[in-house]
Amino acid sequence: MARRKIVAGNWKMNKTPSETVQFLKELKPLVETDEADVILCVPSISIMAAMKETEGSNINIGAQCMYFEEKGAYTGEISPVMLEDAGVKYVIIGHSERRQYFAVTDEIVNKKTLKAFEHNIVPIICVGESLTQREQGITIEYIRQQVKIAFLGVSAEQAKRAVIAYEPIWAIGTGKVATTAQAEEVCKAIRDCIAELYDCDTAEAIRILYGGSVTVSSAPELFAEPDIDGGLVGGASLVPDFGKIVHYNK
Ligand code: 13P
């Protein structure tokens, strides 16, 4: 069975709650499609307003981060229980910006991944190499390690529902998109790694996205690759053009 594409937006720390509602009103008709899952990961403070505004539409609202404990003295964090109660179905885990600025490690990514599944939230697990790692020729080795640690203790049934986003750090917010061949090479290596960890069925089911300076013009070629099941879009998800990325095959 063909995997269903995902076009996901990561707004990062952009848009106030009122800007969110205003923008979603504009965006809703532009992203209507039966052909892909559309997900927007908005700042925590806007999740509730975004869920309300997108009710009855095909936009799924996701979170950008989540802690791995259910409740307690963790000032500032939001928990999987809170997301589940709010009806949130997706959460980005291990984005390179969280790894870089907020000390998220591979082990923490694993804990969060396990917790997300426990609460029926699909993790969008981010992996990606730095420019130095690419230049040293250790990209695949490094990504395989990130994937292996992220999936420790995750069952095959859970892994089939997971989403992995390959986001080369050097391509994020730089306007420097990976070539289609570079993106496909790593996404295929990730699928092969999942096949090794689980089996071919799981590898065929899991959805792997590319992220890093995806635009209206680069999306069609990237998303046509056999192992790229869509994109995780940063900057271009903040503007109405995101609708054109959702309709990349039109
Ligand atoms: P840009 O599309 O702005 O490069 O961001 C990519 C990203 O980090 C998505 O999570």
Side-chain angles (χ1 to χ4, degrees):
M1 212 180 72
R3 288 181 297 273
R4 193 172 156 81
K5 297 276 185 203
I6 293 179
V7 183
N10 172 12
W11 283 6
K12 310 191 179 184
M13 199 174 73
N14 291 292
K15 296 195 191 291
T16 63
S18 42
E19 286 166 347
T20 297
V21 171
Q22 205 180 346
F23 180 63
L24 287 173
K25 282 189 201 302
E26 185 183 351
L27 195 66
K28 270 189 286 189
L30 305 178
V31 299
E32 265 175 35
T33 178
D34 291 331
E35 289 171 32
D37 291 334
V38 177
I39 305 167
L40 285 175
C41 298
V42 304
S44 308
I45 195 167
S46 300
I47 288 176
M48 298 307 291
M51 300 256 317
K52 187 155 175 265
E53 185 56 42
T54 54
E55 223 179 288
S57 81
N58 65 315
I59 300 177
N60 296 280
I61 298 299
Q64 296 176 13
C65 63
M66 177 199 88
Y67 199 51
F68 53 76
E69 295 291 352
E70 302 194 338
K71 63 176 181 173
Y74 304 102
T75 303
E77 289 291 327
I78 58 169
S79 87
V81 178
M82 294 171 189
L83 292 179
E84 186 180 27
D85 181 73
V88 173
K89 296 282 186 284
Y90 298 91
V91 61
I92 297 175
I93 291 179
H95 191 281
S96 61
E97 288 149 17
R98 303 284 321 168
R99 295 180 190 254
Q100 185 182 349
Y101 306 127
F102 304 99
V104 170
T105 61
D106 286 334
E107 288 69 27
I108 292 174
V109 169
N110 176 240
K111 285 186 182 181
K112 292 184 176 190
T113 300
L114 292 169
K115 268 292 164 196
F117 279 122
E118 228 180 86
H119 291 277
N120 297 310
I121 302 164
V122 173
I124 301 173
I125 302 160
C126 299
V127 295
E129 83 286 5
S130 65
L131 188 56
T132 313
Q133 286 163 329
R134 178 156 285 271
E135 286 169 353
Q136 286 173 338
I138 57 168
T139 297
I140 303 281
E141 188 185 322
Y142 180 69
I143 303 280
R144 280 173 55 88
Q145 177 177 318
Q146 287 187 314
V147 170
K148 284 183 186 173
I149 300 174
F151 281 82
L152 278 173
V154 173
S155 72
E157 281 320 300
Q158 290 171 329
K160 280 181 184 150
R161 294 192 289 118
V163 179
I164 299 176
Y166 166 54
E167 300 206 312
I169 296 169
W170 48 272
I172 295 178
T174 56
K176 208 172 155 188
V177 63
T179 65
T180 305
Q182 285 172 328
E184 167 60 19
E185 183 196 18
V186 179
C187 290
K188 180 173 187 312
I190 293 172
R191 203 175 301 286
D192 291 345
C193 182
I194 294 293
E196 281 169 40
L197 293 175
Y198 299 96
D199 48 50
C200 288
D201 278 2
T202 309
E204 281 305 310
I206 197 167
R207 289 183 287 177
I208 303 172
L209 313 181
Y210 168 79
S213 299
V214 173
T215 58
V216 177
S217 57
S218 59
E221 205 182 300
L222 286 162
F223 299 178
E225 287 299 306
D227 291 291
I228 302 179
D229 304 315
L232 183 54
V233 184
S237 71
L238 294 166
V239 290
D241 257 11
F242 182 65
K244 294 189 189 150
I245 301 182
V246 169
H247 296 290
Y248 67 94
N249 56 353
K250 292 283 162 14

